[in-house]
Amino acid sequence: MSVVGSTRAGSVYDQLRADLLTSRILPGTKLKLVALAERHEVSMSVIREALSRLSAEGLVVATPQRGFRVISLSDGDLIDLTNTRVDIECLAARRAVEHGDLAWETGLVAAHHALDRTPTLLPDGGVNENWIDCHRDFHSALLAGCGSPRLQGIAAALRDAAELYRVWSQTLAHDDTRDIAAEHRQLTNLAVARDADGLTAALAAHIQRTTDALLRHTQQ
């Protein structure tokens, strides 16, 4: 694909990812290539490349002879993903507390400041994409002191796979009573205090809260 084509595919990828992460496209929706190509005014190959990238992130599913669709809300997958995230992220967080230096602390505090100052929702009630980016940066900063790029990479991939579930906990399950700002503040304070046991317990509860809200939604 040409440089122009790759640039267009990147732009379409960004737009489609934003549509998914703000629930403008709902779980299980079939993604029709022709309609998407017309909407974004690009070729089918550009759409396929963008969807392939989303598929690699676990946001959409590619099925032979049937095309692409958004992942469905699956209790089994959600529980498995959550348990794995808790294991991996808590391991990385504990190592970060044990080995992280002053630069790690500084980066974490800065990431939390940006997250805390960014509204979760837009004035119209929609999910703020800037908050999504700040949230990802905060959790990356939290684990950055673990000293293992591979462990960080695994944690980041699992977190990306869980991003739709996290958004759905707000837009579908309406978990509106949660004080997520307080949760992030607690995580930051425990990390800076070098309280590994407290941090891992709080992080596990933080991750589990999303799962619990969605499970209540599916059971209803």
Side-chain angles (χ1 to χ4, degrees):
M1 180 175 288
S2 68
V3 173
V4 173
S6 296
T7 301
R8 287 178 177 172
S11 177
V12 172
Y13 160 81
D14 289 338
Q15 293 175 53
L16 287 175
R17 190 172 187 274
D19 286 343
L20 293 170
L21 294 180
T22 55
S23 295
R24 288 192 287 266
I25 304 178
L26 296 176
T29 300
K30 181 174 175 59
L31 300 169
K32 300 178 181 179
L33 272 64
V34 174
L36 289 174
E38 292 176 352
R39 172 188 167 191
H40 294 280
E41 299 181 340
V42 295
S43 67
M44 296 278 282
S45 61
V46 167
I47 294 296
R48 287 194 183 93
E49 180 177 335
L51 291 176
S52 294
R53 289 181 62 185
L54 293 169
S55 177
E57 292 183 9
L59 301 181
V60 305
V61 177
T63 306
Q65 309 302 322
R66 300 182 66 180
F68 297 85
R69 63 172 175 80
V70 182
I71 64 169
S72 298
L73 208 171
S74 163
D75 287 1
D77 179 60
L78 174 58
I79 292 170
D80 181 41
L81 178 58
T82 300
N83 291 339
T84 306
R85 282 190 66 202
V86 168
D87 289 344
I88 294 297
E89 293 199 37
C90 286
L91 171 62
R94 181 174 292 278
R95 290 188 180 180
V97 166
E98 294 171 350
H99 304 295
D101 55 13
L102 181 59
W104 165 69
E105 283 190 23
T106 303
L108 174 59
V109 171
H112 175 257
H113 182 77
L115 177 64
D116 195 49
R117 295 298 186 273
T118 304
T120 307
L121 301 176
L122 297 172
D124 64 1
V127 178
N128 186 354
E129 295 174 35
N130 290 331
W131 187 89
I132 291 175
D133 292 338
C134 288
H135 185 249
R136 181 182 62 247
D137 292 343
F138 169 78
H139 278 279
S140 295
L142 180 64
L143 307 184
C146 74
S148 171
R150 287 187 180 275
L151 187 56
Q152 289 176 257
I154 295 170
L158 291 170
R159 197 179 312 117
D160 285 343
E163 193 64 43
L164 278 184
Y165 286 126
R166 191 196 59 73
V167 171
W168 290 340
S169 74
Q170 291 179 291
T171 58
L172 299 180
H174 301 294
D175 187 14
D176 300 324
T177 61
R178 182 177 190 177
D179 190 349
I180 196 167
E183 292 178 29
H184 290 131
R185 192 178 308 115
Q186 180 188 33
L187 292 173
T188 303
N189 292 339
L190 289 168
V192 172
R194 305 291 173 148
D195 184 349
D197 290 340
L199 175 60
T200 53
L203 181 58
H206 177 71
I207 295 170
Q208 188 66 44
R209 175 68 183 262
T210 296
T211 297
D212 291 344
L214 279 174
L215 290 176
R216 286 194 299 269
H217 170 73
T218 58
Q219 289 165 5
Q220 292 170 359

